[in-house]
Amino acid sequence: MLPLLEIKKICKSFGDLPAVNSLSLVVNAGEIFCLLGPSGCGKTTMLRMLAGFETPESGSIMIDGRDMTAVPPAERPVNIMFQNYALFPHLSVADNIAYGLRRSGMSAPALSDRVDELLHLVRLKRFEGRKPDSLSGGQRQRTALARALARQPKLLLLDEPLAALDRKLREETQVELVSLQRQLGTSFIVVTHDQDEAMSLASRIGIMNEGHLIQTGSPQELYDKPENAFVADFLGEVSFLTGAFIRGEPDVTIALRPEHVSLRSARAKATENEFDLPVHYESATYLGANWMVRVKSASGITIKALLSPDEMDQLAPQSGAQLTVIFLRSKMHVLAPDGLASLAGAK
Ligand code: ATP
């Protein structure tokens, strides 16, 4: 079966600056794929090229086996939902949703049925006559989503779809968006710089930095097996340690997640399957369900450990207290030989 979207070696520069650099990617039908990366890494530029608003200098974009190079935006089987939603302020919710359908020449009865279907889909039937400025942020977002889905695009592009919503609403809307996508089967490509958003929405994530696609995989693959320090650091909390962690092997750099780090007394010793390291206590932050504790090794490396409130009570560390970090050898993730170089280049 053909992939829904196949991007091959796409390049786009603005002046001397390569915004997207030889990016290749395959997205299958029914996926929610998140392009995740720091501000300015080229995510929006890639999205705009998929929509046809920017022209790549080289490379190709195939959708459903068809080369999109010469296809104008309105004729692509793609729609885009902008970050600010770009709703028409003078039109009602129903007319905003109907806008693209009207322009496509759909008959009045079919149009009315389709708008009704979409209003129910996004739970806005009661609000169909309202103008955007009398809607809540979540309702505006759902109007924009219904408008973007109206013509049944094969691929829906969403640029920071939840950025304008407050935290609580963002979490609810994430769940709604995933359930809507499952119901419709439309593929979504979501651009975001928010790792939590990407982790909770995506079936697969592509991490971008400086125009390059660094690694793609499921949220779990990227979290558990990051290819380099940049990916490890971008997705969640991590500590990096360099040393002779593998017997008989030269020094390597490892990534260690805080939930895999135990803190014990200064006299604690590792078992056969563990590794121990003397550290001293620096500080701790209460996160609600857990504590994030920062300790420092003799060589000055900060290591983060996630402790339950009970563990924290038992340890009751004083400032500067000598402790031992213990972690399972099986939980240390050895990074590619360039070690921390990928991180240094990115920050
Ligand atoms: P953000 O998360 O901040 O939106 P982004 O990852 O989406 O960032 P892009 O908007 O794609 O990044 O920008 C990539 C680079 O290209 C940036 O350095 C940006 O300044 C530059 N750029 C984007 N659009 C243009 C343009 N029209 N003219 C000149 N430079 C541009």
Side-chain angles (χ1 to χ4, degrees):
M1 203 177 73
L2 277 175
L4 177 66
L5 168 70
E6 194 168 10
I7 301 172
K8 273 195 194 150
K9 295 189 174 173
I10 283 286
C11 292
K12 174 77 187 173
S13 299
F14 295 105
D16 293 344
L17 179 98
V20 173
N21 205 334
S22 196
L23 189 148
S24 297
L25 172 68
V26 168
V27 175
N28 292 310
E31 276 199 275
I32 301 188
F33 188 90
C34 276
L35 275 177
L36 173 68
S39 184
C41 73
K43 310 178 293 288
T44 304
T45 304
M46 189 59 242
L47 209 66
R48 289 174 59 79
M49 287 193 280
L50 293 177
F53 301 140
E54 297 281 0
T55 311
E57 281 139 27
S58 58
S60 66
I61 295 172
M62 308 279 284
I63 298 180
D64 243 359
R66 197 171 148 220
D67 188 345
M68 290 290 119
T69 314
V71 180
E75 288 168 30
R76 297 187 180 202
V78 167
N79 209 345
I80 188 163
M81 189 179 105
F82 295 103
Q83 188 174 347
N84 60 6
Y85 310 143
L87 294 173
F88 301 112
H90 58 291
L91 296 184
S92 67
V93 167
D95 284 336
N96 262 287
I97 296 173
Y99 186 81
L101 296 171
R102 235 174 230 130
R103 281 170 59 107
S104 74
M106 190 182 248
S107 72
L111 187 140
S112 162
D113 285 352
R114 177 73 181 139
V115 171
D116 221 47
E117 191 185 351
L118 288 157
L119 283 166
H120 281 106
L121 183 74
V122 296
R123 296 183 292 106
L124 285 176
K125 182 65 188 159
R126 280 197 303 136
F127 301 91
E128 62 180 322
R130 294 244 194 125
K131 300 272 169 61
D133 65 1
S134 61
L135 296 174
S136 71
Q139 291 161 346
R140 274 200 288 275
Q141 196 264 1
R142 299 211 298 274
T143 307
L145 190 61
R147 187 180 65 178
L149 288 167
R151 293 181 65 192
Q152 297 179 299
K154 291 212 156 110
L155 191 59
L156 182 63
L157 311 172
L158 303 110
D159 190 359
E160 306 269 0
L162 310 176
L165 308 178
D166 65 43
R167 189 184 158 84
K168 187 112 184 52
L169 190 55
R170 208 159 54 217
E171 281 167 13
E172 287 166 22
T173 313
Q174 270 167 16
V175 176
E176 274 182 12
L177 211 54
V178 172
S179 118
L180 198 80
Q181 187 274 341
R182 290 218 179 106
Q183 215 176 316
L184 299 171
T186 311
S187 299
F188 286 6
I189 295 195
V190 179
V191 152
T192 180
H193 61 264
D194 182 330
Q195 49 142 318
D196 292 335
E197 194 167 306
M199 297 284 267
S200 54
L201 282 177
S203 47
R204 280 192 308 140
I205 298 175
I207 306 249
M208 283 187 74
N209 188 32
E210 295 181 346
H212 295 276
L213 189 61
I214 311 279
Q215 188 178 359
T216 57
S218 70
Q220 197 175 350
E221 277 164 353
L222 295 188
Y223 187 82
D224 292 342
K225 296 189 170 63
E227 265 169 30
N228 61 29
F230 179 79
V231 176
D233 193 46
F234 205 81
L235 280 185
E237 297 282 352
V238 69
S239 310
F240 298 109
L241 296 171
T242 301
F245 296 105
I246 306 168
R247 285 184 202 96
E249 299 265 332
D251 283 5
V252 287
T253 299
I254 62 161
L256 203 54
R257 297 291 184 191
E259 61 274 28
H260 296 146
V261 176
S262 300
L263 281 179
R264 312 261 176 83
S265 71
R267 292 175 303 283
K269 281 278 166 268
T271 63
E272 176 70 5
N273 301 326
E274 295 171 334
F275 203 92
D276 59 34
L277 193 69
V279 291
H280 64 265
Y281 173 77
E282 284 220 313
S283 63
T285 311
Y286 186 52
L287 304 176
N290 289 299
W291 286 85
M292 184 66 80
V293 183
R294 276 166 293 275
V295 294
K296 208 171 226 179
S297 72
S299 59
I301 307 272
T302 298
I303 301 165
K304 292 178 203 156
L306 198 65
L307 263 58
S308 70
D310 282 352
E311 289 168 324
M312 192 64 180
D313 280 350
Q314 271 181 13
L315 200 66
Q318 305 291 317
S319 179
Q322 298 297 310
L323 298 169
T324 306
V325 150
I326 295 201
F327 50 87
L328 279 170
R329 289 178 192 275
S330 59
K331 293 294 183 190
M332 59 186 207
H333 177 69
V334 179
L335 293 172
D338 70 345
L340 298 173
S342 61
L343 194 64
K347 290 225 157 156

